[in-house]
Amino acid sequence: MALIKLKGNPVNTTGTLPQVGSQASDFTLVKTDLSTVSLSDFKGSKLVLNIFPSIDTSTCATSVRKFNETASNLTNTKVLCISRDLPFAQTRFCGAEGLENVVNLSDFKDGSFGNTYGLTITDGPLAGLHSRAVIVLDENGMVKHTEQVEDIVDEPNYEKAIAAL
């Protein structure tokens, strides 16, 4: 389990992020049209998994905006924005913001992505949501970079994530 913080207060997650050099575990997430997608559907593309508690918080919204801007300049790379938000909330936010370069995916059905990747917050006011993290995968699903953001209110290190591609 990872010890992270929420505004300086300690909270725990269900585990730790996958190790760099390991094969990423498969997942099934819900797209904004309510269909499902798995890791294998992205085979052949580099992936930036931008993971966060909720699109309806300022830091999460900022990370989606920044990765959307960055994604427009990347080749053979997809930015997956993953949370437990309902797909309707993800669609509303990205539509209002005009964000078209990221793929919003939801783990709302059973939280299995968060549990598999060690991201589910187990205590505190955000228990059940995902911690803020970034995972970068190569075209074959190998983990190239991970960042567990120490305090949920902080932004990830965008430059390190992009440099890992």
Side-chain angles (χ1 to χ4, degrees), residues 3-71:
L3 176 64
I4 58 173
K5 297 175 183 167
L6 173 60
K7 296 181 180 178
N9 298 309
V11 293
N12 296 287
T13 65
T14 53
T16 57
L17 298 179
Q19 290 188 339
V20 171
S22 68
Q23 181 69 41
S25 297
D26 198 14
F27 55 74
T28 300
L29 294 165
V30 180
K31 297 177 5 180
T32 55
D33 65 2
L34 302 180
S35 64
T36 58
V37 65
S38 66
L39 177 59
S40 60
D41 293 322
F42 297 102
K43 188 169 177 70
S45 294
K46 298 174 187 174
L47 300 176
V48 176
L49 309 183
N50 176 31
I51 306 149
F52 48 86
S54 175
I55 195 70
D56 287 320
T57 65
S58 62
T59 305
C60 300
T62 297
S63 74
V64 173
R65 285 185 202 105
K66 283 190 178 181
F67 275 122
N68 179 74
E69 180 183 329
T70 302

Side-chain angles (χ1 to χ4, degrees), residues 123-143:
D123 51 10
L126 299 182
L129 297 179
H130 297 329
S131 63
R132 183 176 319 286
V134 176
I135 301 171
V136 176
L137 307 177
D138 72 8
E139 299 91 331
N140 299 308
M142 296 297 291
V143 178

Side-chain angles (χ1 to χ4, degrees), residues 104-119:
N104 286 296
L105 300 173
S106 177
D107 193 20
F108 84 95
K109 284 191 175 184
D110 61 9
S112 60
F113 171 82
N115 290 328
T116 299
Y117 280 73
L119 299 160

Side-chain angles (χ1 to χ4, degrees), residues 134-154:
V134 176
I135 301 171
V136 176
L137 307 177
D138 72 8
E139 299 91 331
N140 299 308
M142 296 297 291
V143 178
K144 303 296 283 179
H145 169 80
T146 64
E147 178 189 2
Q148 174 69 74
V149 178
E150 183 179 344
D151 195 310
I152 294 169
V153 298
D154 294 337

